[in-house]
Amino acid sequence: MESLLPIVVQIITGIIGGQAVGAVLKQAAMTQLPKILSGAIGGVAGGALLNSLMGAGIDPAAVADAVGGMGSSLNIPNIVGGAGGGAILTAIVGAVMGAMKK
C-alpha cells in the first residue's frame, strides 16, 4: 500500500492539472476522456520525474510525522510534479488534437 499511494496522489493531481489546462484551452475542444487520460499519465510521469530530481532533499520521516503516516506520499514532488505533468501533457495533447482538426 505504501508504494501505491504516491501513484494515486500523482494520478489525482495529474487529472486536476489536466482539467485546469483543458478548461483554459477551449480551442482544442477536447472531450473529458483525453483530458483525464493525459492528465493521469502526465501526472505519474511528472511526479516520478520530480521525485527523482528532488527526492534526496526531503526527509520522508519528518513529513510523515507532520502529516500522520501519509507524509511520504503527500510530499511536494508528488503533488507539484503530478499537477504539472498532467497539465503539460494535456496541453500537448490539446495542441495536437487542435492541429489535427484543421
Side-chain angles (χ1 to χ4, degrees):
M1 184 68 177
E2 291 179 19
S3 62
L4 186 62
L5 196 55
I7 295 172
V8 171
V9 169
Q10 292 166 356
I11 289 172
I12 291 171
T13 56
I15 291 172
I16 291 170
Q19 291 293 323
V21 167
V24 171
L25 296 177
K26 298 272 188 205
Q27 72 272 14
M30 295 173 62
T31 59
Q32 285 298 315
L33 186 61
K35 285 192 282 189
I36 290 171
L37 289 177
S38 61
I41 293 168
V44 172
L49 180 64
L50 196 59
N51 231 343
S52 68
L53 292 175
M54 292 183 55
I58 297 174
D59 182 19
V63 178
D65 290 339
V67 179
M70 289 178 33
S72 62
S73 59
L74 292 176
N75 60 19
I76 299 299
N78 284 334
I79 296 170
V80 173
I88 290 169
L89 187 60
T90 303
I92 292 170
V93 169
V96 168
M97 288 179 70
M100 288 176 55
K101 288 183 181 179
K102 293 182 179 181

